[in-house]
Amino acid sequence: MKVEKTHKAQNGYVMLAVVFVLLFGGIALLKIYVGVLMIVAALIMCTGFVLVNPNSSRVLLLFGKYIGTIKENGLFWANPLFTKKRISLRASNFDSERLKVNDKLGNPIMISTILVWRVTNTYKAAFDVDDYQNFVRVQTDAAVRKLASMYPYDNFADEGLDEDITLRSSVNEVSEALEQEVQERLSMAGIEVLEARIGYLAYAQEIANAMLKRQQATAIVAARHKIVEGAVSMVEMALEELSKKDLVALDDERKSAMVSNLMVVLCSDKDVAPIVNTGTLNH
């Protein structure tokens, strides 16, 4: 398998001087046959000039045969019969479309990726794939679909589905896995992946409302758990202080009633309207 090779082209400024000499010399000798040949040669040589901008390259072909790649910046001259294909070496940014895929648990989600890439091997980019830019788009979409099927969108620990890596919370791990997956697919085109990360992530529209309600319910249950835990601690402290200071003697029945009232007060969503008992404990 052929690999990229650097082609050392002629200095363009030197050859430009040669073209001017042939052109003006041909004009001076236009009345004779040699002058015409000099002008024709100068015009043909003009087609051999190649301008290579920074972070750009020219792939040279001669009747279908790979000659080499010019990566040095400046003005050069090559064989006028060479076919010169321009390939950019600059870093390119690609924002994929939002794809509808299923995560590891089968939930439909919308996901897109942001990819930063550049060409490092011009031979592979020019000849091993048909269109390397379209190749990047298609393979990136395929990699995102595969990645989404490997991880769940979120953790569902309450259902026994506790995952170490999720698409929503494990940003670094998912980005690293995505970058590795895309790099493996694009290496055959001589492309280096500089960065790959998820640009958009959300549940699909048909289940977004249901998942939002589920997240809200989970948050409410967690909050209730904290409230009850704090209320039990406060009731326990209240009974302990009353017993320690011997302010009032409570039997088991009154303790139960007191615990019930305190739990209602502490765990209620609404403000409690207290009732003051001005009689005895028995009334």
Side-chain angles (χ1 to χ4, degrees):
M1 182 178 180
K2 288 187 177 181
V3 295
E4 179 189 77
K5 58 183 179 180
T6 303
H7 179 77
K8 184 65 176 178
Q10 298 291 331
N11 188 297
Y13 297 102
V14 174
M15 298 305 297
L16 185 63
V18 173
V19 168
F20 279 124
V21 170
L22 291 176
L23 183 61
F24 290 114
I27 293 175
L29 301 175
L30 188 60
K31 295 182 179 181
I32 60 177
Y33 182 71
V34 176
V36 176
L37 292 179
M38 293 175 64
I39 294 176
V40 171
L43 295 177
I44 294 176
M45 290 181 64
C46 287
T47 61
F49 288 104
V50 180
L51 180 63
V52 182
N53 296 318
N55 285 326
S56 184
S57 67
R58 290 295 185 95
V59 177
L60 305 179
L61 292 174
L62 180 61
F63 303 124
K65 181 181 179 181
Y66 175 64
I67 303 301
T69 302
I70 303 176
K71 288 187 173 182
E72 189 178 355
N73 305 331
L75 180 65
F76 301 96
W77 187 88
N79 190 331
L81 298 179
F82 285 168
T83 300
K84 308 168 185 70
K85 182 177 181 179
R86 185 194 304 272
I87 293 182
S88 175
L89 303 179
R90 300 181 181 128
S92 299
N93 190 55
F94 169 61
D95 187 2
S96 70
E97 297 181 357
R98 295 179 181 180
L99 304 175
K100 184 177 180 181
V101 298
N102 292 330
D103 68 354
K104 184 179 180 180
L105 303 180
N107 297 319
I109 61 175
M110 301 297 295
I111 188 172
S112 69
T113 183
I114 297 176
L115 182 70
V116 182
W117 59 277
R118 67 181 177 187
V119 175
T120 56
N121 190 313
T122 57
Y123 178 85
K124 291 183 178 181
F127 307 115
D128 284 359
V129 294
D130 184 35
D131 182 350
Y132 70 91
Q133 294 180 334
N134 183 64
F135 186 80
V136 170
R137 290 191 291 269
V138 174
Q139 293 301 320
T140 300
D141 289 347
V144 171
R145 291 181 183 275
K146 180 180 178 181
L147 179 81
S149 65
M150 294 171 57
Y151 304 107
Y153 179 92
D154 205 352
N155 259 324
F156 297 104
D158 55 335
E159 298 180 2
L161 301 173
D162 190 8
E163 297 284 345
D164 294 332
I165 300 178
T166 63
L167 296 174
R168 185 184 66 85
S169 58
S170 306
V171 178
N172 295 332
E173 292 81 356
V174 172
S175 297
E176 183 178 350
L178 177 61
E179 183 175 334
Q180 182 178 357
E181 179 67 25
V182 177
Q183 182 62 73
E184 290 178 359
R185 293 172 178 267
L186 299 184
S187 59
M188 66 173 296
I191 294 173
E192 177 188 7
V193 176
L194 302 178
E195 183 184 5
R197 65 182 184 275
I198 294 178
Y200 179 84
L201 180 65
Y203 281 112
Q205 186 175 1
E206 57 266 28
I207 68 167
N209 290 333
M211 287 301 177
L212 178 59
K213 291 179 180 178
R214 188 188 188 285
Q215 292 174 355
Q216 291 174 343
T218 302
I220 291 174
V221 170
R224 286 293 182 183
H225 182 272
K226 287 293 183 182
I227 291 173
V228 172
E229 182 179 351
V232 171
S233 176
M234 293 174 68
V235 170
E236 182 182 3
M237 181 181 65
L239 292 175
E240 183 179 352
E241 290 295 324
L242 287 173
S243 175
K244 182 186 300 183
K245 296 182 179 181
D246 197 17
L247 296 177
V248 62
L250 299 175
D251 56 16
D252 292 340
E253 183 178 353
R254 289 193 174 92
K255 283 184 179 180
S256 298
M258 181 178 179
V259 169
S260 177
N261 292 334
L262 286 175
M263 290 297 295
V264 170
V265 171
L266 294 174
C267 297
S268 178
D269 284 335
K270 299 179 180 179
D271 294 335
V272 179
I275 299 176
V276 179
N277 185 3
T278 59
T280 64
L281 291 175
N282 298 322
H283 295 284

